[in-house]
Amino acid sequence: MTTRDPALDALAALLGESGILLGPADCARYATDVSGERGELPRAVLRPANTQDLSEVMRLCHRHGLPVVPQGGRTGLSGGASCLDGNLVLSLERMTGVIAIDPDALTLVAWAGTPLQTVQEAARERGLEYPVDIGSRSTATIGGTIATNAGGIRVIRHGMTRQNILGLEVVLANGTILSDLNELPKNNAGYDLKQLFIGSEGTLGIVTRAVMKLVPATTHANTALLGLSDYGAALDLLGSARRRFGPQLVAFEGMWPSYWDFVCEEAKLVRPPLSGRHGLYVLLETAHEGASGEEAFEAWLGHCLENELVEDGVIAKSLAETRSIWAVREAVGELDAAFGAHINFDLGIVPSRLGSFIEACDRALAAFVDCRSLHVGHMGDGNLHLIVSTGSRGPQEVHEIENVIYGLVGEWHGTVTAEHGVGTLKRHWLSRCRDESQIAVMTRLKALFDPFGRLNPGKIFE
Amino acid sequence: MTTRDPALDALAALLGESGILLGPADCARYATDVSGERGELPRAVLRPANTQDLSEVMRLCHRHGLPVVPQGGRTGLSGGASCLDGNLVLSLERMTGVIAIDPDALTLVAWAGTPLQTVQEAARERGLEYPVDIGSRSTATIGGTIATNAGGIRVIRHGMTRQNILGLEVVLANGTILSDLNELPKNNAGYDLKQLFIGSEGTLGIVTRAVMKLVPATTHANTALLGLSDYGAALDLLGSARRRFGPQLVAFEGMWPSYWDFVCEEAKLVRPPLSGRHGLYVLLETAHEGASGEEAFEAWLGHCLENELVEDGVIAKSLAETRSIWAVREAVGELDAAFGAHINFDLGIVPSRLGSFIEACDRALAAFVDCRSLHVGHMGDGNLHLIVSTGSRGPQEVHEIENVIYGLVGEWHGTVTAEHGVGTLKRHWLSRCRDESQIAVMTRLKALFDPFGRLNPGKIFE
């Protein structure tokens, strides 16, 4: 296999036939992620099978000046894995599998290319849980969830991916293997290096293996779908649920009428499990160990109804009912066809100010003709997915809508991305929530770890 | 006020009379922390009153080449705040107080010099809790707990300090103010810079303000002191408690007979709340919201007794009984006088291997005449405080004991410091748990943030 390019020939010799893809037909599906960002055809797709090979790949790329895009399952929503002109793709798809589980230490070690769901299932077989969970679990890889510090539906109890990682093995831009496969729950021996690589979207190093924290599997869950009068009531309900259930509260999802009506009535993506119109819909879930907590859950909810904190509600009484409740929330992943062209904002606003932020967005968007918004999100975390239709608008007009919304995010001291990451899609807007001194430190870190810009170039920073 | 030293004169002019101490009598108490490490008399103690002044101090120190030791409450146990020859002390003692609490967002903002207990009390007044807790809470400052990533007695539920910090304001070595006072539970907009400063012992920047996460106050706690046959039984009990109580388990402390007999019988520091001899003593606490959980706790414990997982036990039935149970564990802070000269190791070993590690330590220490060990620690986190008497041994012999223990730590893939930090005391031993590639990255980070070695020089690295 020769390519008339000495660098690619050297990589092909290193990786062997199964370790490199060169043909355009083979490479095409690696061009971008599910964000819809345009990606270029990779010059080649590198598929090392272990850390040593990946280290050699980076040494060769370093020597020949080749920029690489690390890729996991390509389920990212910000273009963080999209291939820019002249890039090679470095896929972790052959570095896959669970390596070890220690049920006493509550740890699991896996290769970065392992799908999230495989890790979840391996833990569950031992009566344990890896609590990070996102809709794309079957395709998203552990390495990708670490690179993007994935959030998801259980952050309110278990935190983001960062909180669930104990140790990492990472390959640096020059091929150095940085092994920090810490398994200890407490370790204050010098700087906690793994923190640098979590959430840095493959721009500082490539995660190859990870030690994850497990928790005992919960044995019972209580799920309810509630109709409330408005956001203020939802904030009160959140406070009440936190005081009553503390860390047993695992989900507190908010669906505004804009979203509810669209997925239940207009597009009919799901059947509404709750009748009547409400100012806000909340999906609330608690999880329990040992005992079901069902009585306490029902008593608390009864109390909330009596006090008119909640207008109406249903409690799931079977797995099927639990699924039909979650289906309304998860329909967000299926509305593309029905809703048409749109911007999917992933905003973070302090929960106490989220209600007024949404009102401000509505007012600002009224200036754009036929620009419709859906509102849904992880309300307990202040994470709003604001979905704004763009119709037949061109890039300039889309940019104007973004400019208005990200301007409000800046005024509200929010973040332009709560959980999806910056990638290419939001790099222009980073300065709306990070000041010059912060961006200066970030770029100095980037220069320290990747002085020649070989690791996922063009991501996070413009 | 002139000192015949232009740099000190400039600092005195900047800070005013109340902002600088120059006399040896005034400076003496700032020489070191409670680690017992020898500290030099500071050339001066700088006491800025706000971030802007602290930034100006660092600009002047940068210009004049003056190294500074940042100090909070000086309660550290590793010499991290000890003053080396020629250093100035930069005390945060005037930058104190809680700035804001947001009960909806569950956040608290405070100056770095605020005592931990002040923050805890401010949260409690609003029905909330700041869950980081350590014995020195009345003196230790928020800034110090952040710089050392303090652990303590509730890590098993709430994690180390790192997990409880949302945002930081930091002054860098050249005086730049890096403001990252993030209040959002989720924020993936670029690198998470605050992580660098948490646990880096003041060597990369000086924390001036912090945003902390609060949790709803727990309303009920159940505390028990249990006698077990051996470490294996304790591991089984830990697994059982985790499965039954999940995140409601807040403390799982282990006391070995060596420690128990010394504090209860020999030194009589406390009255034993449990009679009879056991192979291991466990202090276990659960915390609950809304309901007491008392019945469930008693039922679980009854089950453990029936299954002979536990030999004997007492459950606290009053606040006084809870205190008397905790007093046995907290006597570790009072044994200095009775036990004489000793080394206080702060080791971390994966919980499943901690039992065999202790046996190996005992075997190795048998080679040292009259060298007695006490064993106590946060068993649920694999954090062992191994206290080894040194009698009249000189530094060389003490070093030999350390060499043996830290050698075993390396073999067991443990850490030389689980929660106290490296400071000066453990910098020689850092390489027993961090490899060359890790230390190389740490020193490159240090060089990036502090190229002239002005921030807490001589700490962490040799």
Side-chain angles (χ1 to χ4, degrees), chain A residues 91-381:
Chain A
S91 170
L92 277 287
E93 64 196 353
R94 287 173 77 209
M95 293 171 67
T96 185
V98 171
I99 299 164
I101 300 184
D102 180 338
D104 284 321
L106 294 179
T107 56
L108 182 151
V109 189
W111 290 102
T114 315
L116 173 58
Q117 189 170 325
T118 304
V119 166
Q120 290 172 337
E121 285 168 0
R124 221 166 283 146
E125 275 171 26
R126 307 295 290 266
L128 302 168
E129 250 178 69
Y130 178 59
V132 175
D133 197 22
I134 53 179
S136 56
R137 62 187 74 81
S138 65
T139 316
T141 62
I142 286 302
T145 60
I146 292 167
T148 57
N149 186 30
I153 54 180
R154 302 164 85 189
V155 171
I156 199 169
R157 167 160 175 176
H158 296 286
M160 307 281 278
T161 296
R162 184 181 302 281
Q163 198 169 306
N164 297 284
I165 297 296
L166 282 174
L168 293 181
E169 177 186 73
V170 175
V171 174
L172 303 181
N174 63 4
T176 300
I177 299 170
L178 180 68
S179 180
D180 183 18
L181 286 167
N182 172 65
E183 297 184 54
L184 301 165
K186 295 167 80 173
N187 189 352
N188 271 346
Y191 307 157
D192 190 355
L193 299 176
K194 68 177 175 285
Q195 302 298 344
L196 278 162
F197 305 101
I198 301 172
S200 60
E201 304 185 32
T203 62
L204 298 179
I206 300 167
V207 173
T208 48
R209 281 192 283 178
V211 185
M212 282 153 273
K213 271 194 239 179
L214 304 178
V215 294
T218 51
T219 51
H220 301 82
N222 293 300
T223 311
L225 185 66
L226 310 173
L228 285 79
S229 59
D230 56 22
Y231 186 77
L235 264 189
D236 289 343
L237 184 74
L238 175 62
S240 173
R242 279 183 157 140
R243 284 189 298 277
R244 180 60 190 82
F245 299 108
Q248 293 175 325
L249 180 65
V250 289
F252 196 98
E253 303 285 310
M255 292 170 275
W256 278 256
S258 58
Y259 172 82
W260 179 273
D261 293 348
F262 183 78
V263 300
C264 293
E265 287 167 29
E266 197 173 330
K268 294 197 184 341
L269 297 172
V270 286
R271 272 167 166 283
L274 183 71
S275 59
R277 274 195 62 81
H278 303 279
L280 194 71
Y281 302 82
V282 167
L283 191 171
L284 184 147
E285 192 164 286
T286 60
H288 307 263
E289 291 82 10
S292 74
E294 198 177 322
E295 262 179 62
F297 187 77
E298 285 179 9
W300 171 79
L301 209 53
H303 180 79
C304 293
L305 277 158
E306 271 166 41
N307 288 285
E308 298 179 5
L309 214 51
V310 171
E311 293 180 337
D312 196 6
V314 287
I315 298 180
K317 289 291 175 195
S318 66
L319 197 57
E321 286 182 19
T322 301
R323 281 197 189 126
S324 81
I325 285 177
W326 272 104
V328 195
R329 173 64 182 86
E330 286 176 349
V332 71
E334 296 150 39
L335 52 74
D336 286 28
F339 195 61
H342 63 268
I343 312 168
N344 185 355
F345 292 98
D346 164 42
L347 310 175
I349 302 288
V350 168
S352 47
R353 297 195 287 262
L354 183 56
S356 61
F357 174 78
I358 289 178
E359 288 167 16
C361 288
D362 286 346
R363 280 194 301 274
L365 289 172
F368 296 86
V369 178
D370 288 336
C371 195
R372 181 172 170 188
S373 306
L374 309 183
H375 308 81
V376 57
H378 313 292
M379 200 204 117
D381 310 309

